[in-house]
Amino acid sequence: MDGQLGPVKQDIRNIQERIVRYEQKLAVAEQAGNKEEEKSLINLLSSLQEEKNILLRSQAPRPADESSKLDEIMDMLRAKQEQTYTFSASTAGRDMAVAAAMNALGLSGMIPGVLPKRWSRGWNKKHFVPFMKWPTQGEIYENTYAPQLLHHFVGALTVFDVPFGVGGFDFKDVHTQKTRLSFACTIGASTILFTGGTDAVVIPHGAIPWQGQTRILFDWKRPPDLQSVESVVTQAQLELMGALYNSRHPALVVFTDGVNFVILQPWGCAIQYYHTFSGTDDCIHVDDAMRLISHHLLHICSRDGAFSHMAPVPENTELSMELAPLLAAKKELGEGEGLAAQLQLDRDLPPNERLESVSNTILAWRQPNLSYFG
């Protein structure tokens, strides 16, 4: 057996050396802003990683008899899970997978946002009151502080004239629905599944399901977990891509601890970001963060709970800019209906059935969407 595995181990080492070299080239291409070379290198790295995974699996001892065939199949299914990442957990390979997904959607990267030149009348005299009720220790924020944060922001948005209820919006707590923004992306020969959700959403009043009509995604962070844009940027990018995939309307993504903000906005071929961390040239004031969120709801968003990105868009330059990446996502990833819901059903299956069902769901999704990828 050792004699058989020796050449395989050498092949794995050779592939790993090539991966390291191409990762170095990718870093140089990113620094130089060479998008074509970035795309080529990302696809090549994905193929090399898949080749490496196949070789790694080939080292496992072969089943002694036919009765072991089921175990072999389950091992292959588990290997597919190596291409699964969650929105919130920082695992090896996630950043590269997110970069590849953004590239597949035609998103060129992150750029500092530009605030509107004018706000609604009277907004300059209105101010955001920070949320200061965080405990020093011991409390589970999902159960205690998520509802309080939601209530606090309903009040804050009301100050900036955002209507709630009939004819306006609903602000929903969805932090227990942990996979409703999940999406899958095919890169090279691999299908990568990203699973996750968010904490709260603003949607048109009465819109269902909420993930099909998102206007704002709110992710609540404890102050120690929100210290910079970099501390949350990958999770925020995943939530934004999840919204582009699942919703028929573009959405802002807001990460906040009730004091500071990181805001992502789909915009043309890029993602605009805003933040309130002082000490940098591109920071904005917390009042402007609330004005931006309110401006999005009042002057960019449709309040139609049945809005469709396929319908003609009224003359609204800002909405058109936000719709551009959503339309690109629909072209690259498919329409999104069904995948997240089916994954939620898979998640509730018994453990011995869950893995195979998740794999079948991904494969069923992948077949009609292969035409979108070269």
Side-chain angles (χ1 to χ4, degrees):
M1 181 64 68
D2 290 341
Q4 293 175 341
L5 293 182
V8 175
K9 290 181 178 179
Q10 184 59 49
D11 288 342
I12 292 173
R13 281 194 292 269
N14 292 339
I15 290 175
Q16 183 58 43
E17 289 173 358
R18 292 174 66 192
I19 288 174
V20 170
R21 288 199 302 272
Y22 285 122
E23 285 177 341
Q24 292 170 345
K25 290 183 179 180
L26 178 60
V28 173
E30 289 174 343
Q31 189 172 7
N34 189 333
K35 300 302 179 184
E36 288 298 321
E37 187 172 359
E38 280 184 49
K39 183 175 182 180
S40 175
L41 288 169
I42 287 170
N43 289 335
L44 183 56
L45 282 166
S46 178
S47 299
L48 285 172
Q49 188 61 52
E50 181 66 17
E51 187 177 347
K52 178 184 173 182
N53 290 340
I54 292 170
L55 289 172
L56 287 170
R57 292 196 293 270
S58 74
Q59 294 184 96
R62 295 187 179 277
D65 51 54
E66 198 62 30
S67 65
S68 301
K69 201 68 178 175
L70 179 60
D71 291 335
E72 184 182 8
I73 293 172
M74 292 306 292
D75 286 341
M76 293 174 64
L77 290 171
R78 290 188 184 95
K80 291 181 183 295
Q81 296 301 94
E82 293 175 5
Q83 297 296 321
T84 299
Y85 301 95
T86 62
F87 287 8
S88 57
S90 180
T91 52
R94 187 184 67 156
D95 288 354
M96 181 174 287
V98 171
M102 287 182 60
N103 188 68
L105 269 60
L107 294 170
S108 59
M110 303 273 289
I111 59 174
V114 178
L115 292 171
K117 293 180 179 179
R118 294 181 181 178
W119 297 120
S120 293
R121 183 183 298 272
W123 277 10
N124 287 331
K125 297 180 180 179
K126 297 180 178 182
H127 304 285
F128 172 65
V129 178
F131 179 85
M132 304 299 291
K133 298 180 181 179
W134 287 103
T136 55
Q137 59 183 2
E139 294 284 354
I140 300 175
Y141 96 92
E142 286 91 346
N143 297 331
T144 303
Y145 291 93
Q148 290 188 25
L149 275 160
L150 189 152
H151 179 74
H152 185 85
F153 273 89
V154 168
L157 288 169
T158 301
V159 168
F160 285 89
D161 309 317
V162 175
F164 290 96
V166 177
F169 299 95
D170 292 339
F171 206 145
K172 295 176 62 70
D173 181 351
V174 297
H175 79 271
T176 61
Q177 301 176 37
K178 298 184 182 299
T179 61
R180 294 299 174 86
L181 295 177
S182 300
F183 67 100
C185 185
T186 299
I187 307 294
S190 300
T191 297
I192 305 174
L193 174 66
F194 299 98
T195 65
T198 193
D199 288 326
V201 292
V202 179
I203 59 174
H205 177 66
I208 53 173
W210 64 260
Q211 64 269 26
Q213 291 291 339
T214 54
R215 302 301 187 264
I216 310 278
L217 309 182
F218 277 89
D219 198 294
W220 315 126
K221 290 295 183 186
R222 297 180 306 114
D225 299 327
L226 189 69
Q227 297 294 314
S228 65
V229 176
E230 291 73 20
S231 64
V232 296
V233 67
T234 302
Q235 184 181 353
Q237 288 170 341
L238 283 168
E239 290 192 18
L240 185 141
M241 287 191 284
L244 291 176
Y245 173 64
N246 286 284
S247 181
R248 299 182 184 92
H249 190 288
L252 290 188
V253 174
V254 179
F255 277 57
T256 182
D257 58 2
V259 177
N260 278 305
F261 293 81
V262 174
I263 301 174
L264 268 58
Q265 179 183 29
W267 197 257
C269 295
I271 298 174
Q272 292 193 146
Y273 71 91
Y274 307 81
H275 71 88
T276 59
F277 301 106
S278 59
T280 61
D281 294 337
D282 57 1
C283 73
I284 64 173
H285 194 275
V286 292
D287 290 340
D288 282 331
M290 286 304 302
R291 291 168 188 142
L292 177 67
I293 295 167
S294 304
H295 177 83
H296 173 81
L297 289 170
L298 292 173
H299 302 298
I300 299 180
C301 288
S302 167
R303 299 187 196 180
D304 181 3
F307 178 90
S308 172
H309 57 282
M310 300 299 292
V313 179
E315 286 298 325
N316 184 329
T317 302
E318 290 178 296
L319 179 57
S320 296
M321 289 297 289
E322 288 192 356
L323 271 170
L326 183 140
L327 295 172
K330 300 304 184 190
K331 178 181 178 182
E332 292 299 325
L333 302 178
E335 283 301 311
E337 281 76 10
L339 177 65
Q342 184 58 50
L343 289 171
Q344 181 68 25
L345 295 175
D346 294 341
R347 182 174 174 270
D348 295 332
L349 291 172
N352 63 323
E353 300 177 18
R354 188 181 307 149
L355 185 62
E356 184 171 5
S357 185
V358 166
S359 178
N360 289 337
T361 296
I362 298 170
L363 291 173
W365 170 88
R366 186 179 181 186
Q367 292 306 315
N369 286 284
L370 282 176
S371 61
Y372 291 120
F373 304 93

